[in-house]
Amino acid sequence: QQQVKQSPQSLIVQKGGISIINCAYENTAFDYFPWYQQFPGKGPALLIAIRPDVSEKKEGRFTISFNKSAKQFSLHIMDSQPGDSATYFCAVFGGGGNKLTFGTGTQLKVEL
Amino acid sequence: GAVVSQHPSWVICKSGTSVKIECRSLDFQATTMFWYRQFPKQSLMLMATSNEGSKATYEQGVEKDKFLINHASLTLSTLTVTSAHPEDSSFYICSASGDRYNEQFFGPGTRLTVL
């Protein structure tokens, strides 16, 4: 059973545009929703994370939007840059298990 | 964030041999370390969770006798792939956390290729 569904699988955005990646989950007991950025051949790095008591969190060009009733959360990358080209993973934590469960990943390419 | 290192960054070995991968937390004491495996263009899959001084907890489907995990100190955990086979070729990533399991700091990964 897939605990978190991520879309799209790949995304091409023009430089300066907005990149949007979505995740949906089933277990309402999850209480921590992070996004990770991974470059080829590297480990993932935490970008931004949110807890279910807020609907939005912004850090620089990165924003998480959280919809508790719909059990969805999304990552918005404003003013996308070629250096943002990477694979992005959402994850969920909690629900009785002390572990992160990752989405399937989105390969983002930002073109000039 | 905290710094986690892995050694080696890549390793090539012959089928049937054993390979040890080290994971170190460089600037904090990691009470818990996690080991993940990532196949090309796929997500990270948790293999096991280890707490300092105790036996690791393996995820369903992960052979504990094949993937030996030792967490002997608060800064070091090792993963030994025993009797490696080509299907074990993958990218192995560790992470470390303090008391908050959700706040994991990831290492740079180790690329294992078994010939």
Side-chain angles (χ1 to χ4, degrees):
Chain A
Q1 180 185 1
Q2 194 175 0
Q3 297 201 62
V4 56
K5 295 182 180 180
Q6 184 172 342
S7 63
Q9 185 175 359
S10 62
L11 181 62
I12 299 175
V13 173
Q14 296 299 309
K15 180 176 181 290
I18 302 173
S19 304
I20 302 175
I21 306 171
N22 302 296
C23 279
Y25 62 97
E26 288 297 323
N27 190 341
T28 55
F30 291 137
D31 59 8
Y32 180 74
F33 303 87
W35 284 92
Y36 292 86
Q37 178 188 57
Q38 185 180 32
F39 291 105
K42 303 294 183 184
L46 177 66
L47 263 181
I48 187 171
I50 199 169
R51 292 200 178 272
D53 53 346
V54 297
S55 60
E56 186 175 281
K57 183 176 181 180
K58 183 177 180 180
E59 289 184 1
R61 295 186 295 111
F62 302 96
T63 299
I64 295 181
S65 295
F66 185 81
N67 188 327
K68 190 173 182 178
S69 61
K71 293 186 286 186
Q72 295 176 348
F73 60 110
S74 60
L75 174 69
H76 296 234
I77 305 174
M78 313 300 286
D79 187 25
S80 298
Q81 300 296 313
D84 296 330
S85 298
T87 301
Y88 293 81
F89 293 95
C90 65
V92 293
F93 181 91
N98 287 326
K99 59 183 182 180
L100 285 169
T101 300
F102 287 82
T104 50
T106 297
Q107 193 166 4
L108 171 66
K109 182 177 181 181
V110 181
E111 294 183 334
L112 291 169
Chain B
V3 180
V4 176
S5 70
Q6 282 185 241
H7 179 78
S9 55
W10 59 271
V11 58
I12 302 173
C13 70
K14 293 182 178 180
S15 184
T17 61
S18 294
V19 174
K20 180 184 284 188
I21 302 170
E22 292 185 350
C23 176
R24 294 182 183 273
S25 60
L26 299 184
D27 53 2
F28 77 105
Q29 294 186 324
T31 54
T32 305
M33 287 186 171
F34 303 83
W35 286 95
Y36 296 83
R37 180 167 52 182
Q38 185 178 34
F39 292 107
K41 297 194 181 299
Q42 293 190 22
S43 188
L44 284 79
M45 299 300 295
L46 180 66
M47 298 175 66
T49 302
S50 73
N51 291 293
E52 185 262 340
S54 61
K55 290 184 178 180
T57 302
Y58 291 82
E59 293 299 300
Q60 193 172 7
V62 177
E63 300 175 57
K64 61 180 181 181
D65 294 331
K66 181 170 184 59
F67 298 99
L68 301 179
I69 293 172
N70 183 278
H71 191 164
S73 76
L74 288 172
T75 58
L76 173 64
S77 176
T78 60
L79 168 67
T80 301
V81 183
T82 62
S83 186
H85 291 281
E87 56 266 31
D88 298 324
S89 298
S90 188
F91 194 49
Y92 291 87
I93 307 170
C94 73
S95 70
S97 72
D99 294 334
R100 300 179 185 176
Y101 285 17
N102 58 320
E103 295 180 354
Q104 297 181 24
F105 302 97
F106 286 82
T110 296
R111 173 75 59 195
L112 170 64
T113 302
V114 184
L115 302 176

